[in-house]
Amino acid sequence: QGDGAACKTAGWPSTPFTKVPMGLPGLECRMQLLFSGALSGKLSGIEKVVQLCCTNPAKLYGLYPQKGTLQVGSDADVVL
């Protein structure tokens, strides 16, 4: 547990989305590492990457299903 210092910088689920810091050290490599893990079999697949990077954060901040999923009526925030 510690003193919660990491949570103070990263934010709790109750922290308003606009108050969450814009980044953490190493964050820029997260997507590549997770995708590599999915391709190598260390994660259960691409679906797990989507869940970790998109669906779960959208649910955490109450943005799901408008964000975090590809379905009719949701925002199409996709980069290829």
Side-chain angles (χ1 to χ4, degrees):
Q1 288 289 68
D3 66 356
C7 292
K8 290 176 186 170
T9 58
W12 288 96
S14 60
T15 302
F17 185 73
T18 57
K19 301 296 182 194
V20 176
M22 292 298 128
L24 299 169
L27 189 61
E28 67 274 8
C29 301
R30 179 181 64 158
M31 190 64 101
Q32 295 94 322
L33 290 171
L34 288 171
F35 191 72
S36 176
L39 292 178
S40 69
K42 293 179 182 170
L43 290 175
S44 58
I46 302 296
E47 295 83 7
K48 186 65 172 179
V49 175
V50 172
Q51 180 185 21
L52 292 170
C53 294
C54 306
T55 307
N56 289 352
K59 287 179 177 179
L60 182 68
Y61 286 103
L63 302 172
Y64 186 86
Q66 191 66 34
K67 303 280 187 186
T69 186
L70 292 177
Q71 64 182 13
V72 174
S74 295
D75 293 342
D77 298 332
V78 179
V79 176
L80 300 177

